[in-house]
Amino acid sequence: MIVDVVIIGAGPSGLSAAIEVAQHGLTAAVIDEYYRPGGRLLGQHYEDPNAPPDDKVWDGKKVADELARKAEDLGVHLFTNVTAWSVSGKWKVELTGASVKSVEAKAMLLATGSIEKALPLPGWTLPGTISIGAAQTFTNLHHIAVGKKVMIVGVDPLSLSVMMEMKNTGIDVVGMVLPPDTPAIGHGHSPARTLERLSDVAGLAPNPLLRTVGKFSLTRFPRLVAHALRFNFLKVNGVPLQLRKVATEIEGNGKVEGITLQSVTIDGKITGEPEHVEVDTVCLSAGLYPMVDLAQTAGCPMVDVPELGGTVPLHGPDMSTPVEGLYVAGNITGIEGAKVTIAQGQLAGISMLASFGKSGSLSVQEAKENVNKARDISPLRFMPDIEKGRLKMEEIWKEEGVYERRNHLQV
Amino acid sequence: MNAYRLDSSEKKREPIEFYFNNKKLSGYDGEPIAVSLLANGIQTIRTCEVTGEGRGVFCGIGHCYECRAEVDGVANVRTCLTPNHQGTKVISPRSFTIRETLNDDS
Ligand SMILES: Cc1cc2nc3c(=O)[nH]c(=O)nc-3n(C[C@H](O)[C@H](O)[C@H](O)COP(=O)(O)OP(=O)(O)OC[C@H]3O[C@@H](n4cnc5c(N)ncnc54)[C@H](O)[C@@H]3O)c2cc1C
Ligand code: FES
């Protein structure tokens, strides 16, 4: 199949880009390995306190269905249950599981989203241990209880919002604890560090958390709050948030039957005796990082920007990369919420249109401003210093992007 | 229908019967196979080739490959991504004896 633009990933950014280019005269194909379009939108369901009164509930599945329908109505070829294994040339995407073997296009957009970081606790491979993203998908998309007694390891905006969704459907979430400090897991999860990062969830629903510990003190004095949390534990939605306990091992004979907890100092050092809690399911949450494999295969230089969530493809403010005809959008460029990625997708679409000598529904500049606006009203922030990360990338692009692009053109 | 189903807003779905290691189970047409299995309380989908320990769904969205099974004769299918249908036969990899009995039946 030959199209103008091939897009890998039918999440919010890929679908929004497809709609933009198809509306302005380009042909497009979108490829996704999941069985239905929408990417991580499909699991999202929560109240957005920043939204207008009649639009308070963010129903990701509905947004996904609307975007997919719009794309299809515009003639976009949407392939689901199809994995893009490899990309080559400029551009040929090899597919498995599709009616066509490959798609060829002049421009390619990588919108492959993000992956969850591993949390390799002893016992984490036991059936009944799942990622927090799986819990989100099973609860909100498939309406399945992941277990009867659930413990969540890892306290962050995503795990808090999934905890509330599980509670709302009646699942017994017995508590939330922190990951331990081990060589495999790293040092980032001490009570003090966790509280520092949590200071940014103010927008989202864990308002009870902020009410209890006080937004001001949480933001300014995470260590003080971590001290104060020594004995009493705080409850959010009736679920104990045990910020001074870590999970050291998941146990069970063939499947999860319990979990061992230990108290820790505010810096994460273990104190006291281990304690055993019976659960049949453990959800692990360690944060997200951009899924960049195909960008590497496509020859795009990579840059490590911790504020964006890790290693990301070098890209300009218009979502182009140094590789001619290669664009990126969405979480592959940095971990952010769905609204931001929708705006990024449109921006990438407009940039691709420009490379074909066509104009889109907005100027590149206007589309860029929309991305910033979406960030300002976003209810969920994953990376506390995301703006800094975006600026860093712009600087690196100014220094290296243009030079890299010239190099690529010479090859 | 199954013990682990929460109240569903997506009504009007087609109930189906499918097989997991020869056992007849119920599910809904079009939902991922792993969802039908979890709805029946089944967490262990395969055994690890190296250690022989049980493995099941981990990421739920196609990244980790822990949920692999043989589906209608095709090996290493990610059950969390693959829609279930009436009569689908799902077999844990390494369950060779089960597959043989199945073949005998047909
Ligand atoms: C577990 C998890 C939970 C999240 N929860 C929230 C939340 O509650 N609220 C929020 O605002 N944001 C959430 N996010 C952030 C989320 O990433 C963004 O909201 C948004 O969905 C990102 O859009 P995207 O288009 O970049 O990628 P995604 O939505 O991740 O979509 C990427 C798509 O690409 C497909 N894909 C990847 N590689 C290939 C390949 N090789 N071949 C074929 N298809 C491929 C995937 O199947 C996926 O459908 C979450 C992210 C994760 C990982
Ligand atoms: S559960 Fe991870 S690939 Fe299916």
Side-chain angles (χ1 to χ4, degrees), chain B residues 13-58:
Chain B
R13 291 192 299 170
E14 185 80 25
I16 55 156
E17 284 175 338
F18 70 108
Y19 299 87
F20 179 60
N21 293 339
N22 245 349
K23 195 171 165 212
K24 197 197 266 182
L25 299 170
S26 56
Y28 284 113
D29 188 50
E31 70 183 4
I33 292 167
V35 170
S36 307
L37 290 174
L38 271 180
N40 286 279
I42 294 172
Q43 289 179 317
T44 305
I45 297 177
R46 66 184 182 96
T47 44
C48 175
E49 294 81 349
V50 185
T51 61
E53 294 162 347
R55 292 283 190 275
V57 164
F58 182 71

Side-chain angles (χ1 to χ4, degrees), chain A residues 33-34 81 83 131 143 145, chain B residues 4 6 35 58 61 78 81 83:
Chain A
E33 61 182 354
Y34 204 54
N81 255 166
T83 304
S131 74
H143 307 289
Chain B
Y4 284 82
L6 301 163
V35 170
F58 182 71
I61 53 166
R78 285 170 285 176
L81 298 177

Side-chain angles (χ1 to χ4, degrees), chain A residues 127-178:
Chain A
T129 305
I130 59 172
S131 74
I132 196 75
Q136 187 186 39
T137 306
F138 282 107
T139 309
N140 293 335
L141 178 62
H142 304 309
H143 307 289
I144 293 285
V146 294
K148 298 222 148 102
K149 265 181 146 212
V150 181
M151 176 70 80
I152 298 176
V153 183
V155 179
D156 54 57
L158 182 59
S159 67
L160 280 163
S161 91
V162 176
M163 175 274 281
M164 285 187 262
E165 288 303 325
M166 286 202 273
K167 270 300 271 191
N168 289 345
T169 61
I171 297 172
D172 183 11
V173 184
V174 299
M176 295 181 77
V177 297
L178 301 181

Side-chain angles (χ1 to χ4, degrees), chain A residues 130-131 134 138, chain B residues 34 45 56-68 77-81:
Chain A
I130 59 172
S131 74
F138 282 107
Chain B
I45 297 177
V57 164
F58 182 71
C59 73
I61 53 166
H63 292 161
C64 74
Y65 286 74
E66 288 289 15
C67 64
R68 294 185 315 260
V77 172
R78 285 170 285 176
T79 57
C80 71
L81 298 177

Side-chain angles (χ1 to χ4, degrees), chain A residues 8-15 31-34 36 38-41 43-46 58 82-85 111-116 131-134 136-137 158 161 288 291 294 329-332 335-339 341 344 378-380 382, chain B residues 61 63 81:
Chain A
I8 304 183
S13 63
L15 289 175
I31 295 152
D32 199 295
E33 61 182 354
Y34 204 54
R36 61 190 272 185
R40 301 289 70 74
L41 273 179
Q44 298 175 14
H45 191 277
Y46 47 77
W58 176 252
V82 171
T83 304
W85 277 115
T112 48
S114 49
I115 329 186
E116 290 178 76
S131 74
I132 196 75
Q136 187 186 39
T137 306
L158 182 59
S161 91
L288 310 174
M291 175 131 98
L294 286 175
N331 274 201
I332 189 175
I335 309 302
E336 298 203 61
K339 287 184 174 161
T341 64
Q344 283 178 325
S378 217
L380 209 54
F382 293 88
Chain B
I61 53 166
H63 292 161
L81 298 177

